[in-house]
Structures are given as C-alpha cells and as structure tokens.
Amino acid sequence: MQSVIIYWSKTRNTEKVAFFIKDGLEQAGVEVSLKKMEESGDIDFYDYDLICFGFPSHQWHPPESVVVFLKNKFSEYRKHGYVKLGAPKVGKYALIFCTYSGPHTGINEAVPAGKYVGQFFEHLGFTVLEEWYILSEFHGSEERSTKGRMGDIRGKPNEEDLRKVKQDVINLLERLNINPSLRYK
Ligand SMILES: Cc1cc2nc3c(=O)[nH]c(=O)nc-3n(C[C@H](O)[C@H](O)[C@H](O)COP(=O)(O)O)c2cc1C
C-alpha cells in the first residue's frame, strides 16, 4: 500500500499530528511520504492507495488556501473525466484529520470543515475511512485556550493525544486489512 500525508499547518498543531500519523503508518508497514500542502501542487491523488489529509479549522471551515488547493485539484480531475455521477468507488482511501480549538461551540467548529474536505475525496471515488478531530491549543490566544468551551487546552495535542493518534492509525490499518471490503462502503 502506497500512502501520502498532505497537510497544511500554521501554528504546527496539525503538523505534529501529521508526524504521528506517519509513525503509525510506518509501524503498520505502510509506505508513506509526508508533504506540506504547499509542496503538493503536482501530486496525483490517484497514485496513492491512502491519502491522509490534514488542516486546522478556521471559522469552522478549512483555511482558504486549503479550499483553493482542493478546488484546483478537483477542477483538473473533472476536466479529465474523473468526477462521475454516483461517485463510483476506485478502491482507494482517504483519512481526514482536522485540528481545532473549539472555543465557542466545541467540536462542532471542526466537523463542518472535516465533512467538507471529505467530500472532495468522496467525489473522486475515494472511500473516506474516518474523519478525525483533534483538540489543540489556540496559539496566540490564551483566552481561547483557557476559557472556551473545551476548558484549558494549553499544550494540546500533548504526548498522550499524539500517542493515541499513532495507535488509532495502527488500529485503522488493522481493520482495513481484516476487512478490505470497507472500500465498498
Ligand atoms: C485564523 C484562525 C481561525 C480559527 N478559527 C477557529 C474556529 O473557528 N474554530 C476552532 O475550533 N478553532 C479555530 N482556530 C484554532 C485552530 O483551528 C487550532 O488552533 C488549530 O489546531 C491550529 O492548527 P495549526 O497549528 O496546524 O495551524 C482558529 C485559528 C486561527 C489562527
């Protein structure tokens, strides 16, 4: 299985998660490359069996640059006939991961962003295995990191959170190996 992690990160929370996803994939025996989104312009999604795509929530959306990146990719694929009615499965997978701070309404500030990004991959025939939402410090705003809906989130994702991410990757891959028909979900 060939996999790639593509991520966009401004204050490094998403980047930390990406590194631990990489560790998990490697431990599961999966070949993986790690790329910043800004360096992924010429990547062909279809070259990979598994794409892990990560970004933070900005006003409960993906950041604008992430939206632009995905829309550009999508219109290229549409031009070449890859976007088909019914979105038939191509036997490839996507894992979406989104970091967020949830100062106002908690995880609901991240779910719309994760669902939105997942749709790009589903429209291309990928099976979105899961969307992960990882609670993370709001760097540059102590108030949002201590007094919001999620309480004191300074230092997150911490070692324990990141170890969990790694283990979740290993578990996910195990489930996939046991039940490859997930791809027809
Ligand atoms: C401009 C901006 C807008 C943000 N908006 C939200 C938001 O609406 N909801 C939320 O939960 N977190 C919000 N955050 C917090 C980030 O989603 C969170 O800290 C994230 O982990 C940052 O990821 P990064 O370190 O990879 O850039 C915002 C952060 C910034 C800088």
Side-chain angles (χ1 to χ4, degrees):
M1 185 185 255
Q2 288 281 347
S3 74
V4 64
I5 302 166
I6 304 171
Y7 70 96
W8 187 93
S9 182
K10 191 174 170 193
T11 61
R12 303 206 54 220
N13 291 336
T14 311
E15 182 166 72
K16 281 185 205 155
V17 175
F19 290 167
F20 276 74
I21 289 179
K22 181 169 183 281
D23 283 356
L25 286 170
E26 282 170 349
Q27 197 162 314
V30 174
E31 210 165 299
V32 55
S33 43
L34 180 77
K35 289 181 189 294
K36 292 188 173 168
M37 190 197 77
E38 301 90 311
E39 295 157 5
S40 304
D42 55 6
I43 215 170
D44 184 352
F45 291 164
Y46 290 96
D47 282 346
Y48 299 93
D49 306 296
L50 170 66
I51 299 177
C52 306
F53 194 91
F55 54 94
S57 166
H58 280 185
Q59 277 159 345
W60 57 94
H61 289 82
E64 194 51 38
S65 52
V66 173
V67 174
V68 169
F69 172 84
L70 289 169
K71 281 188 173 175
N72 285 342
K73 283 275 174 215
F74 191 72
S75 54
E76 273 302 303
Y77 286 125
R78 179 146 54 195
K79 213 158 55 193
H80 292 98
Y82 286 81
V83 180
K84 300 192 176 83
L85 284 177
K89 296 290 186 200
V90 294
K92 293 174 180 292
Y93 307 107
L95 169 67
I96 310 300
F97 60 105
C98 175
T99 66
Y100 73 104
S101 302
H104 297 96
T105 63
I107 197 170
N108 288 342
E109 298 186 53
V111 172
K115 294 283 177 199
Y116 178 72
V117 168
Q119 276 308 295
F120 282 92
F121 292 98
E122 222 177 300
H123 274 69
L124 297 177
F126 283 64
T127 295
V128 176
L129 291 171
E130 288 180 359
E131 295 125 10
W132 291 351
Y133 302 100
I134 299 106
L135 186 60
S136 304
E137 177 171 350
F138 201 129
H139 294 285
S141 175
E142 189 167 326
E143 192 181 23
R144 290 188 184 88
S145 296
T146 55
K147 296 192 166 67
R149 167 79 61 98
M150 310 309 287
D152 188 345
I153 55 169
R154 287 174 295 182
K156 286 179 121 2
N158 57 29
E159 274 299 312
E160 192 188 339
D161 300 328
L162 293 167
R163 268 201 308 274
K164 181 179 183 305
V165 164
K166 181 176 166 182
Q167 190 56 49
D168 286 348
V169 172
I170 294 166
N171 295 345
L172 182 67
L173 265 291
E174 212 167 285
R175 287 204 299 282
L176 204 57
N177 285 335
I178 292 167
N179 182 13
S181 67
L182 261 179
R183 79 185 59 179
Y184 302 114
K185 210 169 61 167

